Amino acid sequence: MRGSAGRSPTKPGHAGKLCAQLDRHYRFLSLADAAEKIEDWRIDYNSVRPHSSLGGRTPKEFAASLLPTRGKK
């Protein structure tokens, strides 16, 4: 659905924030260099950096907390 809350930074506000943050912290030497640095940033953002909106958890930890636990009946 066009215009719905997205899973990727397609909305101008999200894309702008991502670009601004990357601009402040990185200089890209080539397209391959940009792809590598952006992937490193994505992993850090989702797996290492805690988010206050998620109760101090990383998005990865938050997502895991939503999954049903195995072995419980």
Side-chain angles (χ1 to χ4, degrees):
M1 173 182 220
R2 189 161 199 238
S4 64
R7 293 174 188 243
S8 63
T10 56
K11 296 191 319 187
H14 289 105
K17 288 177 188 175
L18 173 62
C19 288
Q21 188 169 22
L22 291 172
D23 249 359
R24 280 194 305 272
H25 298 286
Y26 298 100
R27 290 291 172 241
F28 304 121
L29 304 175
S30 66
L31 187 56
D33 183 50
E36 183 179 335
K37 288 176 179 173
I38 291 169
E39 179 63 8
D40 290 346
W41 175 88
R42 186 191 65 79
I43 291 168
D44 179 69
Y45 186 86
N46 289 312
S47 302
V48 178
R49 187 185 322 168
H51 297 249
S52 60
S53 63
L54 302 177
R57 295 177 285 181
T58 66
K60 185 177 182 179
E61 292 168 336
F62 179 74
S65 75
L66 300 178
L67 296 174
T69 55
R70 295 182 183 186
K72 289 191 174 182
K73 293 185 179 188

